[in-house]
Amino acid sequence: MEITRTEILRRDWPGPSAVLALLKPITWFPPMWAYACGVISSGQPLSAAFIAAALGVLLAGPLLCGTSQAVNDWFDRHVDAINEPDRVIPSGRMPGRWGLYIAILMSLLSMAVASLLGPLVFIAALVGLALAWGYSAPPFRFKQNGWIGNAAVGLSYETLPWITAATAMTGLMPANPILLVGLLYGIGAHGILTLNDFKSIRGDSEMKISTLPVLHGAQAAARIACIVMALPQLTVVGLLAYWSLPYHALAVGGLLTVQMVCMRRFLGDPVGRAVWYSAVGVGLYVTGMMVTAFGLRYAALPPSLG
C-alpha cells in the first residue's frame, strides 16, 4: 500500500494531543497554586498587577512545570517503558527526539516570559529550569536519590513559585515571614513527592533509581512521607499563632488533624493507598497553604522575624 506524504509527516511530527500528554496539564496545579498563594500573601491589590499575576501563573504552570514534565519524560523513557509503557514517549505517540526538542523549546519560552516580569523573576526562573533539568538529566539526575530529587521538586513546585510571586507583585524580595512559610511548604512537599514513588517501585528498583520506597521499603518510606508533610505544617500553625493569627492557626491545625487521621489509614497499606492519600491529603495540604497566604496578607507582620 502506498504511503502518502501526509502520513509520513504525521509519523515525524507529534500531534497536539501527544504534546499535551507530554506536558501533563494535571501536574501544573501545584506550582500555579503556590504562585497564587504568593500573590495573595504579598498583600498587593490584584487589580493593580493583574497582568503580572496572570503571566506568573502561566510561567509557573504551563511553562516551567510543563518543561519539567517534558524533560522528565524524555530522560525517563526507558524506565517508563517498564513502569508505564502507555506513556506518550514509550508508546510511540511522541516520535523521534521530539520529547527533547519540546523540552528545549519550552525552556526558551519560559525564559522569554520570565524576562517580562523583571530581573528577580528571571533569575528565579533560571533556578527553576536548572532544577528541572538537573532533576532528570545526567550528569546530575537528582531523582536517582529520593532525598535529593524530592527536595529539588518540592522547592521548585512550592517554595520558588510562592517567593517568585511575592517578588513579582512588589518588585522587592519578600518579607521574612513569606520566605519562611514558602520554604516550609516546599519542605512538606518532599513528602508529597514520595507518595508518587509507590506506584513505580518495581521499575525504579530495576533501573537503580533510589526513591525512598526503594531505599527504605514501602512502610518506612510511608512514615517518612507523613512526618515530612506534617512537621512543616505544625510549624506553620505555631508561626501563625505567634504572629497573632489564631483563627488561621486553628484552621491550618484542623486541616492537619484530618490529614493525620487519613495518614493512619494510608500507613496500613502504603502501596495500595498511596494514590488515595495523595488525592485526599494533598488537597487538605494545599488548602492550608491558601489559608496561610490569606493570613499573611491581612496580618501586620514585621519585615523580619527578629
Side-chain angles (χ1 to χ4, degrees):
M1 183 175 64
E2 185 178 351
I3 301 175
T4 67
R5 179 177 177 80
T6 300
E7 290 173 326
I8 294 174
L9 288 174
R10 284 176 180 169
R11 292 181 183 180
D12 293 339
W13 289 73
S17 62
V19 174
L20 200 62
L22 181 72
L23 301 181
K24 298 187 189 65
I26 195 172
T27 66
W28 301 347
F29 172 76
M32 292 172 70
W33 184 263
Y35 197 95
C37 289
V39 170
I40 296 297
S41 68
S42 71
Q44 300 299 307
L46 191 59
S47 58
F50 177 79
I51 294 178
L55 280 177
V57 170
L58 174 68
L59 176 66
L63 296 180
L64 287 175
C65 185
T67 297
S68 73
Q69 296 303 319
V71 173
N72 185 63
D73 268 26
W74 173 253
F75 289 103
D76 260 16
R77 60 195 186 278
H78 304 302
V79 180
D80 289 340
I82 300 172
N83 289 326
E84 299 174 87
D86 291 335
R87 276 196 172 187
V88 65
I89 293 179
S91 68
R93 287 177 291 149
M94 180 65 60
R97 299 175 66 84
W98 269 105
L100 178 61
Y101 300 154
I102 290 172
I104 294 172
L105 290 171
M106 291 291 291
S107 298
L108 295 174
L109 184 57
S110 297
M111 287 188 286
V113 172
S115 67
L116 301 176
L117 295 170
L120 291 176
V121 175
F122 182 73
I123 292 171
L126 291 181
V127 172
L129 286 170
L131 290 172
W133 283 87
Y135 176 76
S136 301
F140 300 106
R141 200 157 166 76
F142 301 139
K143 72 176 299 174
Q144 288 289 130
N145 182 283
W147 288 104
I148 299 173
N150 289 358
V153 176
L155 293 174
S156 61
Y157 270 37
E158 306 294 352
T159 303
L160 195 60
W162 192 314
I163 295 173
T164 301
T167 301
M169 294 298 288
T170 62
L172 303 169
M173 281 296 292
N176 285 349
I178 294 177
L179 293 174
L180 181 55
V181 165
L183 177 61
L184 285 168
Y185 277 113
I187 293 171
H190 188 292
I192 294 175
L193 270 298
T194 299
L195 299 177
N196 295 327
D197 294 328
F198 286 94
K199 67 180 185 296
S200 56
I201 294 175
R202 181 174 69 88
D204 290 339
S205 298
E206 290 183 19
M207 300 301 293
K208 294 181 170 52
I209 298 177
S210 300
T211 63
L212 265 60
V214 171
L215 281 172
H216 305 293
Q219 192 65 49
R223 291 195 189 96
I224 293 170
C226 291
I227 292 170
V228 172
M229 288 180 69
L231 285 182
Q233 293 179 85
L234 187 61
T235 305
V236 169
V237 171
L239 288 172
L240 291 171
Y242 174 73
W243 292 328
S244 300
L245 296 166
Y247 298 113
H248 294 82
L250 185 62
V252 176
L255 291 165
L256 175 57
T257 300
V258 178
Q259 288 175 65
M260 294 178 73
V261 172
C262 295
M263 284 175 184
R264 292 191 62 182
R265 185 167 187 266
F266 164 58
L267 290 170
D269 180 13
V271 176
R273 294 177 182 151
V275 174
W276 168 80
Y277 183 68
S278 181
V280 176
V282 174
L284 296 166
Y285 184 93
V286 299
T287 300
M289 288 173 59
M290 188 58 75
V291 171
T292 302
F294 273 102
L296 293 175
R297 180 179 184 84
Y298 296 113
L301 295 175
S304 68
L305 296 177

